[in-house]
Amino acid sequence: MSSATITSEQGAPATPERTGQPAAATGDRLFRLLTGGAAWLVLILLLGAAGSMAWGGREAFQTFGWSFITSKDWDAVGHQFGALVPIYGTIVSSVIAMIVAVPISFGIATFLAEVAPRWMRGPIGMAIELLAAVPSIIYGMWGLFVFAPFMSEHVEPWVTEHWATLPVIGVLFDGPPIGIGMLTAGIILGIMTIPFISSVMRDVFQAIPPALRESAFALGATPWEVVCKVTLPHTRSAVMGAIFLGLGRALGETMAVTFVLGNAHDFSLSLLMPGNSIAAAIANEFTEADSPIYHSALIALGFLLFVVTFIVLAIAKFMLLRIERKGR
Amino acid sequence: MSRQPMNPIVRRRQITNAIALVLATGATLFGLLWLVWILWTTVTQGASALSPALFTQMTPPPGEEGGLLNAFYGSAVMILLAIVVGTPIGILAGTYLSEFGKTSVLAETIRFINDILLSAPSIVVGLFIYELVVTTTGHFSGYAGGLALGMILLPVVVRTTDEALRLIPNQLREAGLALGLPQWKVVGYVIYRSASTGIATGVLLGVARISGETAPLLFTALNNQYWSTDLSAPMANVPVVIFQYAMSPYDSWHALAWAGAFVVTAFVLALSIAVRLFLRPRSFK
């Protein structure tokens, strides 16, 4: 982020007038056309993706209308498709992911800003970023073979025993400790989003004007007070942007959750029961979809996912842009 | 303990501070723990399944011995295709943003959209290419897989090119233009050369990212159990093979999936670390 804050005034000077040099002018015009065309292609790709999915999903949207979102019947044989279960699963697993990732990422950013000695910041920051480089399918496999058994043996029995009796929220934790389900998927999603959130937070924490921090220290503030009362208020919108960025990632993540969600289309409030998510449903069922309406329903799901992640990522971008402007 | 009686408020603030910083350190260790745990699993499970056959034999039917040669080949070909498609377009678009568009509304819009594409769900890219290529040609193909990967690579290259070019000091452009060079020559011969490290970083990080991408290949390249060099037919690739084998009930397939996972992770991490250590563009700052 910080490298992008080079001001625009330093950009290239405007194309100078080149009267009397037809060859050079033609070359420049061609070059401009070529690069401009490539830039437009980025816009066209996004519109094309949205358009093609709206088109592919039109049959499902027309047939089922609003019940596509509100109904929980997902019956491939009877051609009835309501996506409430995957939509619910996407939202719940992403919420769990944020509950895991946000405090941890804030801790990491605080550690890198106030605790770690200077020589340690680079290597630790890089190690956390490597978490983001690990392909998501590796998270999925690790989740299925290592983490799900760990959850079912050590964590879920404890959770059921201690939390299932709580009023109101108890129902969330009442279920068989099979390891596969929303809770496991949400935690894995959380681990995956930690590097995205924490690296942005670290960058904005480091970009705050040193004078602000130094004056707070000079007044006798402790490092924690500096983070809470100076750094955080100053970078509030960027921190929210980082969280939304992570949320956007979590909503659309496919492979990591496909392994551990269990691909169930039965609605269950319990976080320990197998569930589904939009991305996982598409990944699991798309090549098996045997009727046009089934296909269309899955593409319509993709369209919903695309629209929701677009909105979330756009909010993230706006919030991050605000602090960039402030820094200029 | 303290030499003079301490103001209780100061004391409470310092205790809060100590607790908070210990928690922050704990959070960092917690984050690193997962990296270590995941890598440890991949290395131990993958290394025990490594064998020369992995690189010399085809993907086997259940219960038989085999390797992943066709999958490695397919992945390599599709990644190459993605680079061939994504890199030139990405560099050109990045050039437009930095050299022509600058801070115009159009350029800022494209930057905005590009950043969203950068984080957009990769399964959606798969669906888009399915609609675009697979539906129109009527069958799954290596071309579709390569295009899907290219579409994920593209925004990475656009962004890093844009940033790398904007780091080049303006005097370089002015010097070139003052010599009477047309702008395309200034960019082509001077600016690209100065920014080559930055652009290479972007391409390599993008390659690291698409090497492990599974979701966009599921319904574009699909998979192929046999050796195939035909890009217009379904093509084997490592991520989808890992997915199918890991979800299967067979132990021999699980072992192959771990071996594949190990090779992919090692490749991706080695590439990411090497790029970060050797290529980070820090000049001109």
Side-chain angles (χ1 to χ4, degrees), chain B residues 37-112:
Chain B
W37 193 359
I38 290 168
L39 290 185
W40 173 252
T41 310
T42 315
V43 168
T44 49
Q45 298 273 0
S48 62
L50 276 183
S51 68
L54 192 67
F55 303 99
T56 56
Q57 295 185 17
M58 306 301 148
T59 46
E64 283 178 38
E65 296 290 306
L68 297 171
L69 178 62
N70 49 342
F72 284 128
Y73 174 81
S75 275
V77 168
M78 282 188 280
I79 290 170
L80 270 182
L81 183 60
I83 297 173
V84 169
V85 175
T87 311
I89 300 178
I91 291 178
L92 285 174
T95 309
Y96 176 81
L97 294 180
S98 155
E99 304 297 315
F100 297 105
K102 288 168 230 165
T103 49
S104 66
V105 178
L106 175 64
E108 291 292 354
T109 313
I110 291 174
R111 280 195 191 102
F112 188 84

Side-chain angles (χ1 to χ4, degrees), chain A residues 1 8 10-12 18 27-28 35 48 52-53 111 127 129 133 137-138 142 146 220 224-225 295 299 306 317, chain B residues 13 17 20 28 30 34-35 41 92 102-103 115 124 128 130-131 159 170 173 181 183-184 239 265 268 276:
Chain A
M1 284 273 79
S8 54
Q10 285 177 304
R18 294 189 176 282
D28 274 356
T35 55
S52 82
M53 262 176 291
F111 175 81
E129 277 172 22
I137 188 155
I138 309 297
W142 170 83
V146 180
W224 171 244
E225 285 164 348
H295 241 185
I299 294 176
F306 190 58
K317 240 347 248 174
Chain B
R13 285 172 52 207
N17 179 53
T28 310
F30 183 79
W34 301 106
L35 182 66
T41 310
L92 285 174
K102 288 168 230 165
T103 49
D115 276 4
V124 167
F128 172 52
Y130 175 88
E131 288 283 289
R159 169 139 194 198
N170 233 2
R173 297 185 178 89
L181 286 177
Q183 197 176 0
W184 67 271
T265 313
V268 169
R276 272 162 229 263

Side-chain angles (χ1 to χ4, degrees), chain A residues 165-199:
Chain A
T165 49
L166 294 174
V168 188
I169 61 163
V171 64
L172 292 176
F173 303 106
D174 196 7
I178 47 177
I180 301 284
M182 219 83 92
L183 186 63
T184 309
I187 294 175
I188 292 178
L189 269 185
I191 299 167
M192 289 191 69
T193 41
I194 287 173
F196 294 108
I197 303 181
S198 62
S199 66

Side-chain angles (χ1 to χ4, degrees), chain A:
Chain A
M1 284 273 79
S2 53
S3 58
T5 52
I6 293 289
T7 50
S8 54
E9 293 83 65
Q10 285 177 304
T15 320
E17 294 298 321
R18 294 189 176 282
T19 43
Q21 286 188 330
T26 321
D28 274 356
R29 209 168 296 141
L30 262 178
F31 187 58
R32 201 190 164 110
L33 268 179
L34 200 63
T35 55
W40 271 101
L41 190 69
V42 173
L43 280 185
I44 292 167
L45 277 179
L46 186 99
L47 292 177
S52 82
M53 262 176 291
W55 179 250
R58 74 193 183 285
E59 201 184 333
F61 285 128
Q62 279 166 3
T63 315
F64 305 116
W66 284 108
S67 77
F68 184 68
I69 301 176
T70 55
S71 157
K72 56 181 195 237
D73 294 326
W74 186 270
D75 179 5
V77 184
H79 297 314
Q80 275 306 313
F81 296 100
L84 184 64
V85 174
I87 292 172
Y88 174 77
T90 299
I91 295 172
V92 171
S93 58
S94 301
V95 168
I96 300 174
M98 290 302 105
I99 293 174
V100 174
V102 170
I104 298 293
S105 304
F106 179 61
I108 292 174
T110 307
F111 175 81
L112 290 175
E114 301 295 343
V115 184
R118 201 162 281 278
W119 59 268
M120 209 193 249
R121 289 178 191 173
I124 290 199
M126 186 165 139
I128 298 283
E129 277 172 22
L130 283 185
L131 261 180
V134 174
S136 63
I137 188 155
I138 309 297
Y139 281 91
M141 260 190 103
W142 170 83
L144 179 67
F145 289 115
V146 180
F147 192 59
F150 172 82
M151 287 289 286
S152 100
E153 278 166 37
H154 301 290
V155 180
E156 292 184 354
W158 186 91
V159 164
T160 312
E161 194 184 330
H162 290 85
W163 290 354
T165 49
L166 294 174
V168 188
I169 61 163
V171 64
L172 292 176
F173 303 106
D174 196 7
I178 47 177
I180 301 284
M182 219 83 92
L183 186 63
T184 309
I187 294 175
I188 292 178
L189 269 185
I191 299 167
M192 289 191 69
T193 41
I194 287 173
F196 294 108
I197 303 181
S198 62
S199 66
V200 178
M201 274 195 195
R202 178 200 57 188
D203 288 350
V204 296
F205 277 19
Q206 279 174 359
I208 99 162
L212 281 179
R213 281 184 68 231
E214 284 159 12
S215 16
F217 278 124
L219 289 172
T222 61
W224 171 244
E225 285 164 348
V226 170
V227 170
C228 269
K229 296 181 178 161
V230 178
T231 310
L232 204 53
H234 188 78
T235 56
R236 202 181 325 125
S237 82
V239 166
M240 284 309 289
I243 294 171
F244 272 89
L245 197 66
L247 181 63
R249 288 274 179 169
L251 288 169
E253 177 47 49
T254 311
M255 299 321 292
V257 292
T258 304
F259 277 97
V260 291
L261 264 176
N263 197 30
H265 275 292
D266 305 312
F267 187 81
S268 166
L269 271 181
S270 169
L271 301 181
L272 306 187
M273 291 290 281
N276 216 330
S277 83
I278 295 178
I282 300 172
N284 271 318
E285 299 173 35
F286 196 75
T287 47
E288 290 160 16
D290 47 8
S291 58
I293 185 75
Y294 195 177
H295 241 185
S296 178
L298 287 168
I299 294 176
L301 269 184
F303 179 72
L304 287 182
L305 181 66
F306 190 58
V307 171
V308 172
T309 48
F310 182 91
I311 294 170
V312 169
L313 291 171
I315 295 174
K317 240 347 248 174
F318 271 119
M319 296 193 146
L320 288 169
L321 274 178
R322 252 165 71 186
I323 191 138
E324 237 172 70
R325 297 244 165 78
K326 204 152 99 183
R328 276 179 188 176

